[in-house]
Amino acid sequence: MAEKRRNVVVVGGGWAGTIVARDLSAKLDASKYNLILVSDKPYFIHLIAGARMTVTAVDKLEDKALVPFDKLFHNGNGSVKIGKVVSVSGRSGEKGGEVVLEDGEHISYAALVLATGSSWPGPLDFPNKESDMRSHLDSWRNRYEKANHVVIVGGGAVGLETAGEIKDIWPKKKVTIVHSEGQLLNDTYPDKFRRDIERRARLRGIDLILGDKLDIPAEGTVGVTTQKGKQLPDVDLVVPAFGSRPNTEFIASLGEGVVTPSGTVRVNQYLEVSGHPGVFAAGDIIEWKEQKQAAKANTHAAIVAANVVSFLEGKPYKKVYKGSLEMILIPLGRTGGAGYLGFLWGIMLGDFFSRLLKAKELMVSQARAARGY
């Protein structure tokens, strides 16, 4: 009698999860393992294109930035289950377990990869159902178009990119960023870069209120006042671009101490969940002192896929994660932006490289190719 195939389950159809699943589909013996990707959405969303996609329909980015899973697996070695995981079981120190979906289905696993990513408020809070995506995009595009003065709360990469996209489409529309720190971004990046991106934003006609905060008002409110008393009487659209949170609520069911108070998942140098052999994590959700970015998820995915194979074969883990250099590229619309590479003396990039590497196409072709398209 043939030995029953064992399940290898990847939870999360975002950046890290899809890369892990594709890599494993090329590595796992289909006669021994049943590779299953569980995703709460029916496609991969290329979030790097999220700001532009929610601001305008000009490029019809939704036709390319929402990537189906049908070509994800090498040689068809894998399957996709659309559903939401609500709990995961696996006794501390023991191998194997199961994930439970919202509809009550139980899926056992011999090895498990958790790559559930982050959720954002506002425009990037994409709905799970494909039927709701079009109305979500239309709603936000309509709001931006009708607004006279847009305030974006949060001066990180998402806020800056959103402001740049608005200015690209409507150069005369008033756009203001309110940011809690005295400089844009955060102190991961040197002051020289933070000053440079501020200069570039102001040159684009983006107003900045730094070192202040703004509570998100009820929809339809006209006129707002910051916490320090700055009045903006003509503001008619406030957009949150802060406070991303890891999607790890169900992962706490693995046991005490797995999820940190901030919602990240504790992992060791092999990106294995502490105390749970054969359970790995990748992407935004891992507890690691680094900025959460897609480029890092690529590195996580390669390490996790290799170590999953080693685990299944009963061999020592081959790959160790030592962290990644901090790099960032922030488009301020299609024609420019700024970047920083955290090696040597700290290299700064301007409009030409921003346009060449990211701003023009937002890496959509690369993202599709990495998922079989």
Side-chain angles (χ1 to χ4, degrees):
M1 183 175 179
E3 184 179 349
K4 184 179 179 181
R5 292 196 302 166
R6 296 191 292 166
N7 292 337
V8 176
V9 177
V10 179
V11 181
W15 196 284
T18 51
I19 297 298
V20 170
R22 183 165 174 81
D23 198 352
L24 285 174
S25 72
K27 289 181 165 70
L28 295 178
D29 183 342
S31 69
K32 296 180 180 179
Y33 302 105
N34 181 31
L35 177 61
I36 304 169
L37 174 69
V38 181
S39 173
D40 58 6
K41 295 178 175 63
Y43 38 61
F44 162 77
I45 299 177
H46 181 49
L47 279 176
I48 291 173
R52 185 173 300 169
M53 184 167 63
T54 51
V55 167
T56 177
V58 169
D59 293 334
K60 294 186 177 179
L61 275 173
E62 61 271 27
D63 292 343
K64 293 185 177 181
L66 307 179
V67 186
F69 296 129
D70 60 319
K71 297 183 180 181
L72 180 64
F73 303 108
H74 289 283
N75 300 317
N77 184 20
S79 62
V80 177
K81 176 70 178 179
I82 305 301
K84 181 179 179 180
V85 176
V86 294
S87 70
V88 54
S89 67
R91 294 180 181 178
S92 181
E94 297 184 7
K95 299 178 181 180
E98 65 177 15
V99 296
V100 180
L101 275 56
E102 194 172 42
D103 64 4
E105 182 177 356
H106 291 235
I107 302 174
S108 65
Y109 63 82
L112 174 66
V113 179
L114 302 168
T116 45
S118 297
S119 292
W120 287 84
L124 300 188
D125 184 16
F126 293 114
N128 287 342
K129 293 183 179 180
E130 187 173 6
S131 57
D132 295 333
M133 178 61 87
R134 174 66 65 178
S135 59
H136 176 86
L137 294 175
D138 288 346
S139 174
W140 276 102
R141 291 166 179 173
N142 187 52
R143 288 185 231 186
Y144 285 123
E145 183 175 11
K146 288 184 176 180
N148 295 307
H149 185 179
V150 181
V151 165
I152 298 167
V153 183
V158 171
L160 283 162
E161 291 184 27
T162 302
E165 297 298 342
I166 296 169
K167 279 293 187 179
D168 237 20
I169 301 299
W170 304 284
K172 294 183 179 180
K173 193 182 292 287
K174 292 179 69 175
V175 179
T176 301
I177 292 175
V178 178
H179 189 55
S180 61
E181 297 193 28
Q183 291 179 290
L184 293 168
L185 304 175
N186 60 50
D187 61 9
T188 298
Y189 308 102
D191 287 349
K192 63 178 181 179
F193 177 60
R194 298 173 79 181
R195 288 193 296 268
D196 184 59
I197 196 70
E198 177 180 338
R199 177 184 65 83
R200 293 174 187 277
R202 292 188 188 279
L203 284 173
R204 293 282 284 165
I206 300 166
D207 294 327
L208 303 173
I209 299 174
L210 302 176
D212 204 349
K213 297 181 179 181
L214 178 66
D215 296 326
I216 305 299
E219 187 173 349
T221 299
V222 177
V224 295
T225 302
T226 70
Q227 290 187 6
K228 289 187 176 180
K230 174 77 173 178
Q231 294 185 347
L232 302 168
D234 60 342
V235 169
D236 49 0
L237 179 60
V238 177
V239 180
F242 64 93
S244 66
R245 66 185 190 281
N247 297 317
T248 56
E249 292 89 347
F250 77 90
I251 298 174
S253 60
L254 256 181
E256 187 176 353
V258 171
V259 178
T260 70
S262 62
T264 52
V265 177
R266 290 188 174 93
V267 294
N268 59 25
Q269 69 269 34
Y270 307 111
L271 299 185
E272 185 179 51
V273 176
S274 301
H276 291 271
V279 179
F280 299 86
D284 286 2
I285 67 172
I286 70 166
E287 173 60 20
W288 207 279
K289 191 176 181 181
E290 62 184 13
Q291 296 297 289
K292 307 302 185 182
Q293 295 167 322
K296 294 186 178 72
N298 285 337
T299 306
H300 298 174
I303 290 169
V304 166
N307 289 339
V308 165
V309 172
S310 294
F311 171 78
L312 292 169
E313 294 177 347
K315 298 178 180 178
Y317 295 145
K318 295 179 179 179
K319 299 288 187 178
V320 172
Y321 187 56
K322 299 179 180 179
S324 303
L325 289 171
E326 290 298 346
M327 298 183 285
I328 194 168
L329 197 57
I330 303 175
L332 294 171
R334 289 168 173 75
T335 58
Y340 174 77
L341 308 178
F343 55 84
L344 298 177
W345 54 87
I347 297 172
M348 300 207 313
L349 306 175
D351 288 336
F352 173 77
F353 281 102
S354 178
R355 181 172 60 252
L356 177 69
L357 298 174
K358 186 176 180 181
K360 186 177 180 180
E361 206 226 2
L362 298 172
M363 301 178 176
V364 171
S365 294
Q366 297 96 309
R368 290 176 64 83
R371 289 154 186 89
Y373 274 83

